[in-house]
Amino acid sequence: QVQLVESGGGSVQAGGSLRLSCEASGSTSTITSVAWFRQAPGKEREGVAALITEGGLTPYDDSVKGRFTISRDDAKNTVYLQMNNLKPADTALYYCAATTTTFLLWNSLRPNTYNYWGQGTQVTVSS
């Protein structure tokens, strides 16, 4: 079993930056991928970025390419999402997720691929 705790959310003006953290515990050696998702009120949950354990691939949603970076520090059991040049459209509740299953690369940003979830951290970007 895996437990995930997010932190680092907050309020920022457009053009600013935030760094989200996701600390994992439990059976972390079994994780095959960690990802960040976000959900705005009334909207579907969407995949933002993933870090696949085998191969280190990092797929991103087109809306954040060039602005967001996903990374990890294995010694700290932590995955990060560095968010630069934030826009009001980035406002959402951000979730960290992990999976211990196998999956196809093109499913790496699908919510159903993931079986462990954090409780979310709010990001609000104002103009």
Side-chain angles (χ1 to χ4, degrees), residues 46-74:
E46 63 178 0
V48 176
L51 200 167
I52 301 171
T53 303
E54 184 174 341
L57 296 176
T58 55
Y60 294 89
D61 185 79
D62 286 343
S63 66
V64 306
K65 284 182 179 177
R67 299 188 298 121
F68 291 11
T69 303
I70 188 170
S71 62
R72 70 186 302 157
D73 185 338
D74 288 338

PDB file of all heavy atoms in Angstrom, residues 46-74:
ATOM      1  N   GLU A  46      -8.161  16.249 -14.977  1.00  0.00           N
ATOM      2  CA  GLU A  46      -7.274  16.110 -16.112  1.00  0.00           C
ATOM      3  C   GLU A  46      -5.835  15.862 -15.673  1.00  0.00           C
ATOM      4  O   GLU A  46      -5.382  16.389 -14.658  1.00  0.00           O
ATOM      5  CB  GLU A  46      -7.328  17.351 -17.012  1.00  0.00           C
ATOM      6  CG  GLU A  46      -6.858  18.629 -16.346  1.00  0.00           C
ATOM      7  CD  GLU A  46      -6.875  19.816 -17.289  1.00  0.00           C
ATOM      8  OE1 GLU A  46      -7.260  19.649 -18.464  1.00  0.00           O
ATOM      9  OE2 GLU A  46      -6.507  20.922 -16.850  1.00  0.00           O
ATOM     10  N   GLY A  47      -5.141  15.042 -16.438  1.00  0.00           N
ATOM     11  CA  GLY A  47      -3.748  14.763 -16.171  1.00  0.00           C
ATOM     12  C   GLY A  47      -2.865  15.934 -16.560  1.00  0.00           C
ATOM     13  O   GLY A  47      -3.047  16.529 -17.623  1.00  0.00           O
ATOM     14  N   VAL A  48      -1.905  16.258 -15.717  1.00  0.00           N
ATOM     15  CA  VAL A  48      -0.996  17.372 -15.944  1.00  0.00           C
ATOM     16  C   VAL A  48       0.380  16.886 -16.372  1.00  0.00           C
ATOM     17  O   VAL A  48       0.924  17.330 -17.389  1.00  0.00           O
ATOM     18  CB  VAL A  48      -0.879  18.248 -14.686  1.00  0.00           C
ATOM     19  CG1 VAL A  48       0.153  19.353 -14.890  1.00  0.00           C
ATOM     20  CG2 VAL A  48      -2.239  18.831 -14.320  1.00  0.00           C
ATOM     21  N   ALA A  49       0.959  15.982 -15.596  1.00  0.00           N
ATOM     22  CA  ALA A  49       2.289  15.460 -15.873  1.00  0.00           C
ATOM     23  C   ALA A  49       2.464  14.136 -15.155  1.00  0.00           C
ATOM     24  O   ALA A  49       1.854  13.909 -14.109  1.00  0.00           O
ATOM     25  CB  ALA A  49       3.373  16.445 -15.428  1.00  0.00           C
ATOM     26  N   ALA A  50       3.301  13.277 -15.701  1.00  0.00           N
ATOM     27  CA  ALA A  50       3.606  11.986 -15.085  1.00  0.00           C
ATOM     28  C   ALA A  50       5.097  11.734 -15.127  1.00  0.00           C
ATOM     29  O   ALA A  50       5.809  12.262 -15.991  1.00  0.00           O
ATOM     30  CB  ALA A  50       2.857  10.855 -15.790  1.00  0.00           C
ATOM     31  N   LEU A  51       5.577  10.940 -14.179  1.00  0.00           N
ATOM     32  CA  LEU A  51       6.960  10.490 -14.150  1.00  0.00           C
ATOM     33  C   LEU A  51       6.922   8.977 -14.033  1.00  0.00           C
ATOM     34  O   LEU A  51       6.557   8.443 -12.984  1.00  0.00           O
ATOM     35  CB  LEU A  51       7.730  11.131 -12.995  1.00  0.00           C
ATOM     36  CG  LEU A  51       9.264  11.141 -13.099  1.00  0.00           C
ATOM     37  CD1 LEU A  51       9.851  12.080 -12.058  1.00  0.00           C
ATOM     38  CD2 LEU A  51       9.854   9.744 -12.946  1.00  0.00           C
ATOM     39  N   ILE A  52       7.290   8.308 -15.112  1.00  0.00           N
ATOM     40  CA  ILE A  52       7.230   6.855 -15.174  1.00  0.00           C
ATOM     41  C   ILE A  52       8.543   6.279 -14.667  1.00  0.00           C
ATOM     42  O   ILE A  52       9.616   6.656 -15.130  1.00  0.00           O
ATOM     43  CB  ILE A  52       6.936   6.399 -16.613  1.00  0.00           C
ATOM     44  CG1 ILE A  52       5.605   7.005 -17.074  1.00  0.00           C
ATOM     45  CG2 ILE A  52       6.909   4.888 -16.708  1.00  0.00           C
ATOM     46  CD1 ILE A  52       5.321   6.815 -18.541  1.00  0.00           C
ATOM     47  N   THR A  53       8.436   5.358 -13.705  1.00  0.00           N
ATOM     48  CA  THR A  53       9.618   4.833 -13.025  1.00  0.00           C
ATOM     49  C   THR A  53      10.597   4.180 -13.994  1.00  0.00           C
ATOM     50  O   THR A  53      11.784   4.518 -14.013  1.00  0.00           O
ATOM     51  CB  THR A  53       9.203   3.833 -11.944  1.00  0.00           C
ATOM     52  OG1 THR A  53       8.306   4.471 -11.024  1.00  0.00           O
ATOM     53  CG2 THR A  53      10.425   3.317 -11.190  1.00  0.00           C
ATOM     54  N   GLU A  54      10.115   3.243 -14.802  1.00  0.00           N
ATOM     55  CA  GLU A  54      10.978   2.543 -15.738  1.00  0.00           C
ATOM     56  C   GLU A  54      11.177   3.400 -16.979  1.00  0.00           C
ATOM     57  O   GLU A  54      10.234   3.639 -17.734  1.00  0.00           O
ATOM     58  CB  GLU A  54      10.389   1.184 -16.115  1.00  0.00           C
ATOM     59  CG  GLU A  54      11.289   0.362 -17.026  1.00  0.00           C
ATOM     60  CD  GLU A  54      10.753  -1.027 -17.263  1.00  0.00           C
ATOM     61  OE1 GLU A  54       9.904  -1.491 -16.479  1.00  0.00           O
ATOM     62  OE2 GLU A  54      11.184  -1.661 -18.240  1.00  0.00           O
ATOM     63  N   GLY A  55      12.396   3.879 -17.171  1.00  0.00           N
ATOM     64  CA  GLY A  55      12.712   4.706 -18.313  1.00  0.00           C
ATOM     65  C   GLY A  55      12.716   6.194 -18.028  1.00  0.00           C
ATOM     66  O   GLY A  55      13.334   6.963 -18.777  1.00  0.00           O
ATOM     67  N   GLY A  56      12.029   6.611 -16.973  1.00  0.00           N
ATOM     68  CA  GLY A  56      12.026   8.013 -16.588  1.00  0.00           C
ATOM     69  C   GLY A  56      11.303   8.936 -17.553  1.00  0.00           C
ATOM     70  O   GLY A  56      11.584  10.141 -17.587  1.00  0.00           O
ATOM     71  N   LEU A  57      10.366   8.418 -18.330  1.00  0.00           N
ATOM     72  CA  LEU A  57       9.612   9.261 -19.252  1.00  0.00           C
ATOM     73  C   LEU A  57       8.724  10.227 -18.479  1.00  0.00           C
ATOM     74  O   LEU A  57       8.196   9.897 -17.414  1.00  0.00           O
ATOM     75  CB  LEU A  57       8.770   8.416 -20.195  1.00  0.00           C
ATOM     76  CG  LEU A  57       9.536   7.502 -21.147  1.00  0.00           C
ATOM     77  CD1 LEU A  57       8.565   6.642 -21.952  1.00  0.00           C
ATOM     78  CD2 LEU A  57      10.415   8.320 -22.081  1.00  0.00           C
ATOM     79  N   THR A  58       8.553  11.420 -19.025  1.00  0.00           N
ATOM     80  CA  THR A  58       7.766  12.466 -18.374  1.00  0.00           C
ATOM     81  C   THR A  58       6.790  13.093 -19.358  1.00  0.00           C
ATOM     82  O   THR A  58       7.037  14.184 -19.881  1.00  0.00           O
ATOM     83  CB  THR A  58       8.669  13.548 -17.768  1.00  0.00           C
ATOM     84  OG1 THR A  58       9.537  14.078 -18.786  1.00  0.00           O
ATOM     85  CG2 THR A  58       9.513  12.983 -16.646  1.00  0.00           C
ATOM     86  N   PRO A  59       5.672  12.448 -19.619  1.00  0.00           N
ATOM     87  CA  PRO A  59       4.657  13.056 -20.482  1.00  0.00           C
ATOM     88  C   PRO A  59       3.962  14.214 -19.790  1.00  0.00           C
ATOM     89  O   PRO A  59       3.722  14.184 -18.583  1.00  0.00           O
ATOM     90  CB  PRO A  59       3.692  11.896 -20.747  1.00  0.00           C
ATOM     91  CG  PRO A  59       3.864  10.994 -19.563  1.00  0.00           C
ATOM     92  CD  PRO A  59       5.314  11.088 -19.194  1.00  0.00           C
ATOM     93  N   TYR A  60       3.636  15.248 -20.572  1.00  0.00           N
ATOM     94  CA  TYR A  60       2.937  16.434 -20.078  1.00  0.00           C
ATOM     95  C   TYR A  60       1.706  16.703 -20.921  1.00  0.00           C
ATOM     96  O   TYR A  60       1.682  16.435 -22.132  1.00  0.00           O
ATOM     97  CB  TYR A  60       3.829  17.676 -20.151  1.00  0.00           C
ATOM     98  CG  TYR A  60       5.036  17.662 -19.250  1.00  0.00           C
ATOM     99  CD1 TYR A  60       6.245  17.135 -19.681  1.00  0.00           C
ATOM    100  CD2 TYR A  60       4.968  18.192 -17.969  1.00  0.00           C
ATOM    101  CE1 TYR A  60       7.357  17.131 -18.862  1.00  0.00           C
ATOM    102  CE2 TYR A  60       6.086  18.193 -17.142  1.00  0.00           C
ATOM    103  CZ  TYR A  60       7.280  17.659 -17.600  1.00  0.00           C
ATOM    104  OH  TYR A  60       8.386  17.665 -16.779  1.00  0.00           O
ATOM    105  N   ASP A  61       0.709  17.273 -20.290  1.00  0.00           N
ATOM    106  CA  ASP A  61      -0.405  17.794 -21.046  1.00  0.00           C
ATOM    107  C   ASP A  61       0.061  19.002 -21.861  1.00  0.00           C
ATOM    108  O   ASP A  61       0.909  19.776 -21.401  1.00  0.00           O
ATOM    109  CB  ASP A  61      -1.548  18.193 -20.120  1.00  0.00           C
ATOM    110  CG  ASP A  61      -2.774  18.634 -20.879  1.00  0.00           C
ATOM    111  OD1 ASP A  61      -3.516  17.767 -21.367  1.00  0.00           O
ATOM    112  OD2 ASP A  61      -2.995  19.860 -20.985  1.00  0.00           O
ATOM    113  N   ASP A  62      -0.486  19.164 -23.051  1.00  0.00           N
ATOM    114  CA  ASP A  62      -0.058  20.255 -23.921  1.00  0.00           C
ATOM    115  C   ASP A  62      -0.223  21.628 -23.267  1.00  0.00           C
ATOM    116  O   ASP A  62       0.530  22.556 -23.563  1.00  0.00           O
ATOM    117  CB  ASP A  62      -0.835  20.219 -25.236  1.00  0.00           C
ATOM    118  CG  ASP A  62      -0.393  19.095 -26.146  1.00  0.00           C
ATOM    119  OD1 ASP A  62       0.704  18.546 -25.939  1.00  0.00           O
ATOM    120  OD2 ASP A  62      -1.148  18.758 -27.078  1.00  0.00           O
ATOM    121  N   SER A  63      -1.198  21.765 -22.391  1.00  0.00           N
ATOM    122  CA  SER A  63      -1.480  23.056 -21.790  1.00  0.00           C
ATOM    123  C   SER A  63      -0.383  23.538 -20.842  1.00  0.00           C
ATOM    124  O   SER A  63      -0.345  24.726 -20.512  1.00  0.00           O
ATOM    125  CB  SER A  63      -2.817  23.017 -21.044  1.00  0.00           C
ATOM    126  OG  SER A  63      -2.756  22.144 -19.930  1.00  0.00           O
ATOM    127  N   VAL A  64       0.506  22.636 -20.403  1.00  0.00           N
ATOM    128  CA  VAL A  64       1.544  23.015 -19.441  1.00  0.00           C
ATOM    129  C   VAL A  64       2.953  22.808 -19.970  1.00  0.00           C
ATOM    130  O   VAL A  64       3.915  23.154 -19.274  1.00  0.00           O
ATOM    131  CB  VAL A  64       1.375  22.260 -18.108  1.00  0.00           C
ATOM    132  CG1 VAL A  64      -0.036  22.449 -17.558  1.00  0.00           C
ATOM    133  CG2 VAL A  64       1.695  20.778 -18.274  1.00  0.00           C
ATOM    134  N   LYS A  65       3.103  22.281 -21.164  1.00  0.00           N
ATOM    135  CA  LYS A  65       4.435  22.052 -21.718  1.00  0.00           C
ATOM    136  C   LYS A  65       5.219  23.357 -21.801  1.00  0.00           C
ATOM    137  O   LYS A  65       4.707  24.375 -22.258  1.00  0.00           O
ATOM    138  CB  LYS A  65       4.340  21.413 -23.104  1.00  0.00           C
ATOM    139  CG  LYS A  65       3.986  19.944 -23.084  1.00  0.00           C
ATOM    140  CD  LYS A  65       3.961  19.360 -24.484  1.00  0.00           C
ATOM    141  CE  LYS A  65       3.627  17.879 -24.447  1.00  0.00           C
ATOM    142  NZ  LYS A  65       3.524  17.307 -25.806  1.00  0.00           N
ATOM    143  N   GLY A  66       6.463  23.304 -21.343  1.00  0.00           N
ATOM    144  CA  GLY A  66       7.311  24.484 -21.335  1.00  0.00           C
ATOM    145  C   GLY A  66       7.173  25.336 -20.101  1.00  0.00           C
ATOM    146  O   GLY A  66       7.992  26.240 -19.884  1.00  0.00           O
ATOM    147  N   ARG A  67       6.148  25.082 -19.290  1.00  0.00           N
ATOM    148  CA  ARG A  67       5.932  25.855 -18.072  1.00  0.00           C
ATOM    149  C   ARG A  67       6.071  25.022 -16.801  1.00  0.00           C
ATOM    150  O   ARG A  67       6.549  25.523 -15.776  1.00  0.00           O
ATOM    151  CB  ARG A  67       4.546  26.502 -18.088  1.00  0.00           C
ATOM    152  CG  ARG A  67       4.329  27.467 -19.248  1.00  0.00           C
ATOM    153  CD  ARG A  67       3.016  28.228 -19.093  1.00  0.00           C
ATOM    154  NE  ARG A  67       1.861  27.329 -19.100  1.00  0.00           N
ATOM    155  CZ  ARG A  67       0.978  27.231 -18.096  1.00  0.00           C
ATOM    156  NH1 ARG A  67       1.118  27.975 -17.005  1.00  0.00           N
ATOM    157  NH2 ARG A  67      -0.056  26.397 -18.189  1.00  0.00           N
ATOM    158  N   PHE A  68       5.655  23.761 -16.846  1.00  0.00           N
ATOM    159  CA  PHE A  68       5.690  22.882 -15.676  1.00  0.00           C
ATOM    160  C   PHE A  68       6.772  21.823 -15.858  1.00  0.00           C
ATOM    161  O   PHE A  68       7.031  21.370 -16.980  1.00  0.00           O
ATOM    162  CB  PHE A  68       4.352  22.167 -15.487  1.00  0.00           C
ATOM    163  CG  PHE A  68       3.205  23.045 -15.059  1.00  0.00           C
ATOM    164  CD1 PHE A  68       3.295  24.422 -15.071  1.00  0.00           C
ATOM    165  CD2 PHE A  68       2.014  22.459 -14.638  1.00  0.00           C
ATOM    166  CE1 PHE A  68       2.234  25.221 -14.684  1.00  0.00           C
ATOM    167  CE2 PHE A  68       0.944  23.245 -14.241  1.00  0.00           C
ATOM    168  CZ  PHE A  68       1.056  24.626 -14.271  1.00  0.00           C
ATOM    169  N   THR A  69       7.374  21.395 -14.750  1.00  0.00           N
ATOM    170  CA  THR A  69       8.368  20.338 -14.758  1.00  0.00           C
ATOM    171  C   THR A  69       8.114  19.388 -13.598  1.00  0.00           C
ATOM    172  O   THR A  69       7.998  19.822 -12.449  1.00  0.00           O
ATOM    173  CB  THR A  69       9.792  20.897 -14.649  1.00  0.00           C
ATOM    174  OG1 THR A  69      10.043  21.818 -15.719  1.00  0.00           O
ATOM    175  CG2 THR A  69      10.815  19.766 -14.729  1.00  0.00           C
ATOM    176  N   ILE A  70       8.045  18.093 -13.901  1.00  0.00           N
ATOM    177  CA  ILE A  70       7.902  17.082 -12.863  1.00  0.00           C
ATOM    178  C   ILE A  70       9.271  16.457 -12.600  1.00  0.00           C
ATOM    179  O   ILE A  70      10.045  16.219 -13.529  1.00  0.00           O
ATOM    180  CB  ILE A  70       6.857  16.012 -13.249  1.00  0.00           C
ATOM    181  CG1 ILE A  70       6.576  15.073 -12.071  1.00  0.00           C
ATOM    182  CG2 ILE A  70       7.287  15.233 -14.488  1.00  0.00           C
ATOM    183  CD1 ILE A  70       5.391  14.145 -12.295  1.00  0.00           C
ATOM    184  N   SER A  71       9.584  16.208 -11.334  1.00  0.00           N
ATOM    185  CA  SER A  71      10.861  15.624 -10.960  1.00  0.00           C
ATOM    186  C   SER A  71      10.695  14.849  -9.662  1.00  0.00           C
ATOM    187  O   SER A  71       9.639  14.912  -9.024  1.00  0.00           O
ATOM    188  CB  SER A  71      11.939  16.703 -10.808  1.00  0.00           C
ATOM    189  OG  SER A  71      11.601  17.608  -9.772  1.00  0.00           O
ATOM    190  N   ARG A  72      11.737  14.126  -9.267  1.00  0.00           N
ATOM    191  CA  ARG A  72      11.663  13.355  -8.030  1.00  0.00           C
ATOM    192  C   ARG A  72      12.997  13.337  -7.312  1.00  0.00           C
ATOM    193  O   ARG A  72      14.057  13.490  -7.923  1.00  0.00           O
ATOM    194  CB  ARG A  72      11.182  11.928  -8.307  1.00  0.00           C
ATOM    195  CG  ARG A  72      12.174  11.046  -9.043  1.00  0.00           C
ATOM    196  CD  ARG A  72      11.540   9.706  -9.408  1.00  0.00           C
ATOM    197  NE  ARG A  72      11.057   9.003  -8.237  1.00  0.00           N
ATOM    198  CZ  ARG A  72      10.094   8.069  -8.252  1.00  0.00           C
ATOM    199  NH1 ARG A  72       9.495   7.759  -9.405  1.00  0.00           N
ATOM    200  NH2 ARG A  72       9.730   7.468  -7.124  1.00  0.00           N
ATOM    201  N   ASP A  73      12.933  13.155  -6.002  1.00  0.00           N
ATOM    202  CA  ASP A  73      14.088  12.979  -5.149  1.00  0.00           C
ATOM    203  C   ASP A  73      13.865  11.675  -4.395  1.00  0.00           C
ATOM    204  O   ASP A  73      13.115  11.640  -3.419  1.00  0.00           O
ATOM    205  CB  ASP A  73      14.253  14.156  -4.193  1.00  0.00           C
ATOM    206  CG  ASP A  73      15.522  14.068  -3.367  1.00  0.00           C
ATOM    207  OD1 ASP A  73      16.065  12.969  -3.192  1.00  0.00           O
ATOM    208  OD2 ASP A  73      15.974  15.126  -2.885  1.00  0.00           O
ATOM    209  N   ASP A  74      14.503  10.605  -4.862  1.00  0.00           N
ATOM    210  CA  ASP A  74      14.265   9.288  -4.270  1.00  0.00           C
ATOM    211  C   ASP A  74      14.694   9.225  -2.805  1.00  0.00           C
ATOM    212  O   ASP A  74      14.068   8.523  -2.007  1.00  0.00           O
ATOM    213  CB  ASP A  74      14.998   8.212  -5.067  1.00  0.00           C
ATOM    214  CG  ASP A  74      14.362   7.943  -6.417  1.00  0.00           C
ATOM    215  OD1 ASP A  74      13.160   8.245  -6.586  1.00  0.00           O
ATOM    216  OD2 ASP A  74      15.057   7.416  -7.312  1.00  0.00           O
TER     217      ASP A  74
END
